[in-house]
């Protein structure tokens, strides 16, 4: 009953999003929606490893960047864009498998610092190997349409959210959460912690790689190093935390809140908007553990308790 | 001297103590015995301020300990040796002892106190500049007790001083504890070696599941069947 | 070939000392309170700007203005601790590391933005009358400014070491690092120790920032890079050992310089990070650490 | 013979935590493993469940050598455990906690619907049916212990290892727990129960093994153990006065 | 605990309130642009046929809109801050005469320049370029400073089909991508890398020439192109490259490179650092005691802060800036006078070419007689323009045919030292050792 309702809501939202380009003709607004969708993909894919499996990964941009660079090169070489994106995703998986075993030897803060360093290594290496800007060829520029990009971002975001939902509600998802909550207990029940972490990493990497591919298709000119920038990781992490890690809706809400708030702040506060944003973020971390989803849950719990105590009163 | 009245203490969300009341009079040696997880350590930690009871009162020498910040409790003359001693392994024996006299009251007289401690534990003087981590188990326990003595306590609380020690050392440690008590320091002892604890103590409390279930003089309890049954049934 | 290499290694040591100094502050804070303060690099930047403006506006020599920088950073540290970090101390270790990390990101966003707006994105550096001066020793050049910087780093480190080893307060800090519960039983106010360690860490970052502004240059976005370097050095040297951390910084500096010399400047950053990852995986307690390093 | 342990050894540094311990458990038994603090009970348990690798010795379980197998394979072998300091999945609901046991243990099912139904009935058994949707972190110690028991049961073990299940429970709660354990045995599961005090399990165990300083000092029925002078010395200590 | 939570809640509520109350405002500010755009366009379209009736012209737009995304802060900020005044003064001078005469409207229309600071971030530059296009009826873009910034911006101009005039980038590669709307009246890498050897061979007798060359390049677009060309050209003119070092931009530690140059006995330095790297490089050179007899340092010393921050260490370096205020062309005096008024010194190196961009545009619009961007583009491509940097024509790839003067820092000032007919001072060679300054 409840599941059906959320399914219907999801369907309606998807349909609405698909219809957006019919009504929105302004490029700047559409670009803006593209960014939200991109961030939904990034934050949701980060959340699979960081939220559901509890491994705070600060090298997420590496996967995003790998997807972007592979897609861009293949696409320029004449490949079909979807095929190129798939290869981008697979490249991200290959890298995830490569680093998985050494990375998961590290625990807690060490994993976090280690992944941050890994991301930086890739960032610097790509900067060295591909120092030149990647500009769309003139003939592609002429045929450039934003609507195509919008639908691609929408598709990637849908795939990501769908994949996250499926995994979260599967046996694997249960295992991941068990690993996050209590690795010893999980292992004692037969959950292979390493396998689950690796699976989460691979899935997270693949989805981030796809998002990178969409970005490569979207951006007219950029330095190949740019998608590897730690900014992408930090932004996705912040979004997931603001919305609520370990939930499906959290990163989505976080991404929307993040992008919209940033835009609103930058329109109204001009140049000091990152400051206000930083303050807000700190407030969320300090006072809203569990992000917006956590807050929502607490409000619901309180109401529940009130209802229960009311019920008790009426049945003395 | 020390009086706990009806205290309830929680570990996070979990209640560990239910209405514990006990009293230690000046100069006494009191034992607190009970099985694993009964709440002995929790009781001591509630007194030192490491944990704060949710309910009840603790008074020491007329001070309400619940209103004293944890770092000032030592200054009042309450000192505790935690289970396993917990010496600062990376620091030298001397530094460990100095830290024992961190409180402002004890710091002024730390040199005299240290000489006094050396009399009780001559081994420590030999190892003065060695890192505490390199000491043997028995020496560590001595250091832990010596360190606690450095604060010039009126009440010394010991949590399982015999834990993990060879029997011969256990005897030695208990001798030293007895000696300290004779010097006029009141002692509250938590010990799993029930017989030794009861023989040493003037009085004892039996604690089970976070509640006091028995109280009496050491000898009385020793012969009291319920103590044996608390362990063996 | 040998002489240029030796010269190059000297420069590696000189910059390594700055890495070390920056990392010592971070390491101290992490060791005592388990706050992984990722806005450490931004604190360094603040220190750099403080010296720069004092030099530019009041014409006070940057080396002489270090006490002012220290006071400034102590104040900043005090405010940040009271407003923000003190709210995290009750959390369990893992959560504390994670949340301090996140809060740090927020702080670094704020500090970067404020610096950008106050002082523009331009690179700044301090050039004194004696910049460029150097002594020659056995055919090797020893640059004056960097030598003084090295000396100041060493003095800062030794003062810290003396403070930690000889004073009661310093011992209290070390005791808290080892076992905060025991420390608390000694009558040590551990909250005060946390605060103290935090502000000392900030002050060290400030000193490092001053030296960076003299030897290199500063700009509002420099923070992340220095935070990362500090974290690398902190792990490299091993947690809990100040001297180890400092030596770790020098090792990183020399590694980078040697890489630039033998392979090329493009790879210096990567070589340092790779060294870090290798050590993290095979010796997580660091080169000089003794404790098991999984906390 | 379900479990046969021979010459099991484990040392930490110089300390022999488990020293040449032999014992065995028959199918359908409830065996108690007791001893004072630091006697090696929990180490033994950790060796049996793969949390520690033995230095030497053999552990035959159900006709298979399992010494040194990875800990996540133990559940598949048919051994489940609870923890001395309870380790529930705090931010998951009770039913999710149990489902993890059901979907990963022995006879693990991929069918989440089925797993959920089974989990409800297991929660019913331990008396937590009404708390199925409560997060583990909002539960009392007693409830957490029951939850951990339910989780282990959901893994359908042949041998269930209970580590100080009774610690911290009051008399009434302990009695309830003993009743539950008897029911579990009745359903055909063999149980090894580790306890600090003999009393807690004397009415329960068919046989009791006593450890001290890493060595086995006695074995027998509860009555035999209670009056064994070696055991009394172990527990109450020799006189030191 | 509860109260703290409450406080946070209140703050969040306030912010979300602020967000919601501001959101409609944001739409409002955008709304006029949307509604007015057709309003201004509509008359133009409907009245267009009226042109056939003589003497009636469509109402002229209020301004000829020029847009620029320019780095005023960050790595390229020192360049942007020299370029922007050039644009502004040129606009001011042209508007002082009523603007540009456009035949289509039979009236003079003033110019209006809208610019954004892109903070030396190429991605920001891209978004600023798009914003300029969507928020204003642009006639042309004026570029910012620095090759990588241009490389990011130009595709946007091309996509939007708006003429783009940019200076302060020597990157040649951009011109080979087939962009039709790009024009740059500025010397390019092929000119610079050839001219330096030509000038040295003309100015210095054989035997005294600094034939051992050290090249400190960057691992980026321009660095690689420039370094490659130097390697190619040096042997042709009798020079040997003894050290070739590459660093990523912003790694301001050149110790290893300097060491190698010193060890190899290099006599000449060719490099193109951004400001912080350049100043770090010269401080280290002084410390290590390596003084090249001749240094060509493109980019870093182009701003006045080079002299201010380096003092004697920064003396004697030479630059190919594209222009100098001593150049003897028409209009230079007027520019210098105005610049002096505003900034207390004669026009800076990049100010002239920037000024010229606006001159070229104004002349092209007047020739074209319309604000149609495609017509203007064609006019720029085919015409000859007379500016403060001399006569300018453009090649098919958008590069300009312009003079490439050499400048040297002497006594804290930049002196034009080549070509001889424009020179304000003779070239000082060899440069005295750092210790002896």
């Amino acid at each position: 009953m409840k599941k059906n309702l959320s399914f219907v809501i999801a369907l309606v939202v998807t349909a609405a999003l698909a219809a957006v380009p019919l009504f929105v003709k302004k490029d700047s607004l559409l670009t803006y929606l593209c960014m939200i969708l991109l961030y939904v993909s990034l934050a949701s894919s980060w959340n699979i490893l960081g939220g559901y499996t509890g491994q705070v990964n600060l090298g997420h941009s590496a996967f995003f960047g790998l997807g972007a660079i592979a897609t861009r090169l293949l696409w320029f070489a004449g490949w079909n864009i979807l095929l190129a994106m798939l290869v981008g995703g697979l490249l991200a998986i290959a890298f995830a498998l490569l680093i998985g075993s050494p990375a998961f030897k590290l625990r807690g803060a060490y994993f976090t610092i280690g992944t941050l360093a890994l991301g930086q290594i890739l960032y610097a290496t790509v900067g060295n190997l591909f120092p030149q800007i990647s500009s769309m060829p003139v003939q592609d520029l002429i045929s450039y349409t934003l609507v195509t990009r919008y639908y691609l971002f929408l598709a990637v975001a849908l795939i990501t959210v769908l994949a996250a939902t499926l995994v979260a509600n599967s046996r694997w998802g249960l295992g991941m959460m068990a690993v996050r909550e209590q690795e010893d207990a999980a292992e004692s029940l037969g959950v292979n912690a390493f396998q689950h972490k690796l699976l989460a990493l691979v899935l997270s990497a693949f989805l981030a790689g796809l998002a990178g591919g969409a970005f490569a298709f979207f951006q007219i000119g950029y330095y190949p190093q740019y998608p590897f920038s730690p900014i992408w990781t930090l932004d996705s992490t912040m979004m997931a935390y603001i919305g609520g890690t370990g939930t499906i809706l959290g990163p989505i809400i976080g991404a929307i809140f993040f992008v919209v708030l940033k835009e609103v702040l930058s329109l109204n506060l001009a140049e000091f908007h990152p400051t206000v944003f930083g303050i807000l973020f700190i407030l969320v971390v300090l006072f809203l553990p569990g992000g917006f989803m956590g807050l929502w849950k607490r409000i619901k719990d309180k109401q529940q308790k009130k209802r229960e105590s009311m019920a008790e009163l009426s049945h003395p | 001297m020390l009086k706990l009245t009806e205290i309830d203490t929680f570990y996070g969300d979990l209640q560990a103590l239910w209405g514990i009341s006990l009293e230690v009079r000046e100069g006494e040696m009191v034992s607190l015995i009970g099985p694993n997880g009964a709440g002995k350590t929790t009781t001591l930690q509630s007194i030192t301020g490491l944990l704060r009871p949710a309910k009840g009162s603790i008074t020491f020498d007329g001070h309400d300990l619940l209103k004293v910040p944890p770092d000032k409790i030592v200054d009042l003359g309450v000192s505790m040796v935690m289970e396993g001693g917990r010496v600062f392994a990376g620091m030298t024996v001397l530094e460990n002892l100095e830290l024992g006299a961190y409180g402002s009251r004890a710091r002024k007289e730390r040199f005299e106190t240290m000489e006094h401690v050396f009399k009780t534990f001559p081994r420590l003087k030999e190892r003065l500049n060695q890192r505490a981590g390199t000491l043997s188990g028995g020496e560590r326990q001595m250091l832990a007790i010596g360190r606690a003595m450095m604060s010039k306590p009126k009440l010394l609380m010991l949590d399982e001083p015999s834990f993990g020690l060879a029997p011969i050392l256990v005897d030695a440690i208990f001798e030293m504890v007895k000696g300290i008590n004779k010097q006029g320091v009141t002692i509250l002892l938590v010990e799993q070696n029930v017989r030794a604890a009861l023989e040493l103590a003037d009085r004892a409390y039996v604690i089970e599941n976070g509640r006091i279930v028995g109280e009496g003089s050491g000898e009385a309890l020793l012969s009291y069947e319920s103590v044996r049954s608390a362990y063996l049934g | 070939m040998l002489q240029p290499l030796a010269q190059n290694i000297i420069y590696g040591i000189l910059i390594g000392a700055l890495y070390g100094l920056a990392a010592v502050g971070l390491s101290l804070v992490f060791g005592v309170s388990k706050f992984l303060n990722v806005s450490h690099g931004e604190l360094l930047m603040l220190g750099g700007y403080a010296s720069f403006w004092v030099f530019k506006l009041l014409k006070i020599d940057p080396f002489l203005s270090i006490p002012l920088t220290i006071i400034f950073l102590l104040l900043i540290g005090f405010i940040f601790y009271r407003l923000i970090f003190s709210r995290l101390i009750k959390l369990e270790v893992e959560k504390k590391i994670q949340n301090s990390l996140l809060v740090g990101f927020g702080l670094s966003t704020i500090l970067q933005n404020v610096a950008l707006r106050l002082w523009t994105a331009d690179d700044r550096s301090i050039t004194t009358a004696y910049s460029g001066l150097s002594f020659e020793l056995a055919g090797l050049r020893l640059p004056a400014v960097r030598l003084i910087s090295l000396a100041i780093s060493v003095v800062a480190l030794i003062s810290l070491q003396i403070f930690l080893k000889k004073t009661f307060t310093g011992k209290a800090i070390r005791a808290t690092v080892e076992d905060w519960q025991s420390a608390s039983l000694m009558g040590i106010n551990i909250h005060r120790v946390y605060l103290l360690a935090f502000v000392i860490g900030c002050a060290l970052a400030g000193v490092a920032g001053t030296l960076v502004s003299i030897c290199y240059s500063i700009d509002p976005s420099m923070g992340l890079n220095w935070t990362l370097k500090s974290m690398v050095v902190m792990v490299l040297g091993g947690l809990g050992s100040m001297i180890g951390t400092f030596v770790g910084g020098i090792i990183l500096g020399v590694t980078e310089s040697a890489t630039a010399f033998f392979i090329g400047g493009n790879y210096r950053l990567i070589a340092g990070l790779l060294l870090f990852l290798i050590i993290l995986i095979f010796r997580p307690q660091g080169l000089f650490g003794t404790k098991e390093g999984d906390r | 013979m379900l479990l046969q342990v021979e010459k099991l050894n484990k040392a930490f540094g110089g300390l022999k935590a488990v020293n040449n311990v032999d014992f065995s458990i028959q199918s359908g038994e409830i065996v108690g493993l007791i001893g004072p603090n630091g006697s090696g009970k929990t180490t033994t348990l950790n060796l049996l469940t793969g949390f520690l690798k033995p230095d030497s010795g053999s552990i035959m379980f159900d006709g298979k050598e399992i010494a040194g197998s990875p800990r996540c394979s133990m559940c598949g072998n048919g051994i489940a455990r609870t923890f001395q300091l309870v380790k529930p999945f705090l931010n998951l609901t009770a039913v999710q906690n149990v489902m993890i046991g059901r979907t990963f243990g022995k006879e693990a099912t991929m069918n989440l619907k089925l797993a959920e139904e089974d989990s409800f009935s297991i929660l019913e058994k331990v008396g937590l049916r009404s708390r199925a949707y409560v997060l583990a972190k909002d539960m009392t110690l007693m409830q957490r212990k029951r939850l951990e028991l339910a989780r282990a049961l959901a893994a359908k073990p042949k041998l269930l290892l209970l580590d100080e299940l009774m610690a911290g429970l009051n008399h009434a709660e302990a009695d309830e727990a003993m009743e539950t354990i008897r029911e579990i045995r009745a359903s055909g599961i063999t149980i090894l129960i580790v306890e600090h005090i003999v009393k807690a399990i004397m009415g329960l165990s068919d046989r009791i093994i006593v450890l001290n300083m890493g060595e086995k000092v006695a074995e027998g029925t509860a009555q035999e153990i209670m009056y064994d002078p070696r055991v009394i010395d172990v527990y109450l200590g020799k006189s030191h006065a | 605990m509860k109260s703290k939570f409450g406080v946070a809640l209140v703050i969040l509520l306030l912010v979300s309130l602020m967000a919601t109350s501001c959101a409609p405002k944001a739409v409002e500010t955008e709304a006029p642009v949307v509604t007015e755009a057709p309003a201004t366009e509509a008359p133009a379209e409907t009245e267009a046929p009226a042109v056939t009736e003589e003497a009636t012209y469509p109402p002229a737009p209020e301004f000829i809109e020029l847009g620029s995304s320019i780095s005023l802060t960050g790595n390229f900020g020192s360049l942007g801050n020299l370029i922007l005044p050039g644009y502004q003064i040129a606009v001011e001078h042209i508007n002082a005469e009523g603007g540009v005469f456009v035949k289509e409207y039979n009236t003079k229309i003033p110019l209006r320049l809208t610019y954004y600071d892109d903070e030396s971030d190429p991605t920001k530059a891209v978004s600023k370029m798009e914003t300029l296009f969507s928020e204003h009826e642009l006639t042309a873009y004026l570029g910012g400073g620095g090759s990588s910034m241009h490389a990011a911006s130009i595709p946007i101009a091309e996509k939007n089909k708006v003429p783009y005039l940019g200076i302060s980038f020597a990157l040649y590669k951009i011109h080979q991508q087939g962009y039709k709307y790009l024009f740059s009246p500025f010397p390019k890498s092929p000119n610079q890398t050839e001219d330096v050897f030509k000038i040295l061979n003309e100015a210095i007798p054989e035997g005294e020439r600094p034939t051992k060359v050290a090249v400190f390049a960057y691992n980026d677009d321009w660095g690689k192109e420039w370094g490659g060309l130097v390697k190619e050209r040096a042997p042709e003119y009798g020079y040997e490259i003894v050290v070739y070092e590459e660093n990523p931009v912003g790694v301001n530690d050149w110790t290893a490179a300097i060491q190698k140059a010193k060890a190899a006995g290099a006599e000449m330095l060719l490099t193109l650092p951004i400001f912080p790297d350049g100043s770090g490089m010269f401080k280290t050179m002084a410390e290590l005691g390596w003084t090249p007899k001749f240094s060509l340092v493109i980019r870093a010393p182009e701003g006045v802060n080079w002299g201010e921050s380096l003092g004697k260490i920064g003396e004697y370096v030479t630059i190919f800036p594209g222009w100098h205020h001593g150049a003897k062309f028409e209009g230079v005096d007027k520019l210098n006078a105005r610049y002096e008024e505003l900034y207390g010194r004669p026009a800076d190196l990049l100010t002239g070419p920037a000024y010229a961009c606006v001159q070229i545009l104004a002349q092209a619009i007047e020739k074209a007689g319309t604000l149609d961007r495609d017509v203007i583009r064609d006019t720029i491509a085919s015409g000859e323009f007379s500016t403060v940097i001399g006569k300018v024509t453009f090649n098919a790839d958008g590069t300009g045919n312009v003079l490439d003067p050499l400048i040297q820092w002497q006594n804290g000032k930049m002196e034009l030292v080549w070509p001889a007919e424009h020179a304000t001072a003779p070239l000082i060679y060899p440069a005295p050792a750092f210790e002896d300054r």
Side-chain angles (χ1 to χ4, degrees), chain C residues 39-113:
Chain C
S39 61
H40 194 71
E42 271 71 26
L43 295 171
L44 195 124
M45 169 195 78
L46 287 184
Y49 273 106
S51 309
F52 175 81
W53 287 112
V54 166
F55 174 74
K56 179 121 184 166
L57 302 176
L58 306 175
K59 303 269 177 275
I60 297 179
D61 187 274
F63 288 121
L64 299 179
S65 72
I66 285 179
L68 290 178
T69 313
I70 289 176
I71 293 169
F72 175 59
L73 264 295
L74 285 175
L75 214 73
I76 297 256
F78 181 79
I79 294 169
F80 285 172
Y81 184 85
R82 271 294 150 88
L83 279 182
I84 300 171
F85 287 92
S86 61
R87 292 169 206 280
L88 301 175
I89 45 181
K90 290 230 171 84
L91 300 173
E92 49 164 321
V93 177
E94 224 24 70
K95 199 84 190 147
K96 192 149 81 171
I97 295 175
Q98 202 181 74
N99 280 15
S100 60
L101 199 88
L102 293 168
V103 163
F105 282 133
L107 252 188
S108 78
T109 310
I110 296 170
L111 293 178
Q112 266 187 49
N113 180 239

Side-chain angles (χ1 to χ4, degrees), chain C residues 191-207:
Chain C
H191 297 299
R192 200 169 297 155
V193 167
Y194 287 168
L195 169 66
L196 194 66
F198 190 83
V199 297
I200 293 177
C202 292
L204 287 169
V207 175

Side-chain angles (χ1 to χ4, degrees), chain C residues 265-287:
Chain C
N266 283 333
Y267 298 92
R268 52 181 298 148
L269 189 72
I270 298 168
L273 289 171
L274 271 180
L275 171 74
F276 165 69
L277 276 187
I278 290 167
I279 288 185
L280 197 58
I281 289 162
F282 293 106
R283 205 181 147 79
Q285 71 273 40
L287 290 176

Side-chain angles (χ1 to χ4, degrees), chain A residues 264-273 276-277, chain E residues 18:
Chain A
V264 168
L265 288 180
S266 75
L267 280 176
N268 292 286
L269 297 165
E271 292 173 325
F272 277 98
H273 72 270
V276 178
F277 186 80
Chain E
M18 190 176 80

